[in-house]
Amino acid sequence: MQAPAIEGVDEMWSGWCHEGGAADLVRALKYRRITAAVTPIADRMASVAGAARAADVVAWVPCSPTRRTERGFDPAELLARALARRLRLRARRLLHRLDDEPQTARSREGRLAGPRLVVRQGRVPGSVLVVDDVCTTGSTLRVAAAALRAAGATEVVAAVATVAPSSPRQPVAVPIP
């Protein structure tokens, strides 16, 4: 088996590549605040989530506090909670963001460094399914996995709504519609 393309992430699933209608659906959720988009995205993520069904808990990568205030919600949290319901798993707010700069506002170097994330409190159960809306460089998931493992996670799997065509590819399941 090849080593994971994203350090610390054992497996990753994506509903779609970040292009066309799938990218439009994610943008509708994130930038137009159309929360009804959560349903088809979470349905798709659940259909490809594979071994993530065996996770002990579902967590998410928190967006920046400024973005959360602007939107009135965190897209990754909505997706994680919806996905957890579909997989019959519990969702927990495990990660806390220490910075307030959105990934989209960062330079390339800043994007590659990723956000500053820590575990909110205590130990993390063995296997964590971490959810995010888009994977572009893989840096955010790498930082999230490092924080979760430092707090005791023995396995970190990831599920994202969409993955950029140039982002890390193995092991990623992107089913063909």
Side-chain angles (χ1 to χ4, degrees):
M1 179 168 128
Q2 289 178 295
I6 300 172
E7 184 180 339
V9 176
D10 297 295
E11 294 181 84
M12 185 172 88
W13 295 274
S14 175
W16 301 278
C17 282
H18 192 72
E19 52 196 17
D24 291 343
L25 195 58
V26 171
R27 284 192 291 268
L29 172 62
K30 290 178 70 166
Y31 303 115
R32 295 187 2 239
R33 299 184 188 113
I34 299 175
T35 56
V38 169
T39 299
I41 295 171
D43 287 347
R44 178 63 170 210
M45 290 171 74
S47 75
V48 300
R53 298 171 195 281
D56 295 310
V57 66
V58 177
W60 59 91
V61 176
C63 66
S64 72
T66 296
R67 289 282 200 241
R68 184 180 179 95
T69 299
E70 289 170 354
R71 291 183 183 118
F73 63 89
D74 182 334
E77 178 180 359
L78 295 182
L79 291 172
R81 291 187 183 283
L83 181 58
R85 282 191 301 277
R86 285 157 177 77
L87 299 179
R88 294 187 173 89
L89 297 170
R90 63 191 169 110
R92 284 186 48 208
R93 185 185 311 268
L94 294 177
L95 294 167
H96 175 70
R97 192 168 184 142
L98 297 176
D99 62 357
D100 193 33
E101 187 178 12
Q103 283 290 92
T104 55
R106 296 172 188 252
S107 66
R108 174 146 176 82
E109 294 77 28
R111 288 180 73 94
L112 291 174
R116 292 179 44 223
L117 301 172
V118 295
V119 170
R120 290 172 46 100
Q121 60 185 355
R123 301 290 292 161
V124 172
S127 177
V128 178
L129 168 58
V130 64
V131 173
D132 203 1
D133 48 18
V134 179
C135 176
T136 304
T137 65
S139 299
T140 299
L141 292 173
R142 176 184 45 78
V143 170
L148 292 165
R149 287 183 184 277
T154 56
E155 181 180 40
V156 176
V157 295
V160 296
T162 62
V163 62
S166 62
S167 64
R169 287 305 195 148
Q170 82 277 5
V172 178
V174 183
I176 297 171

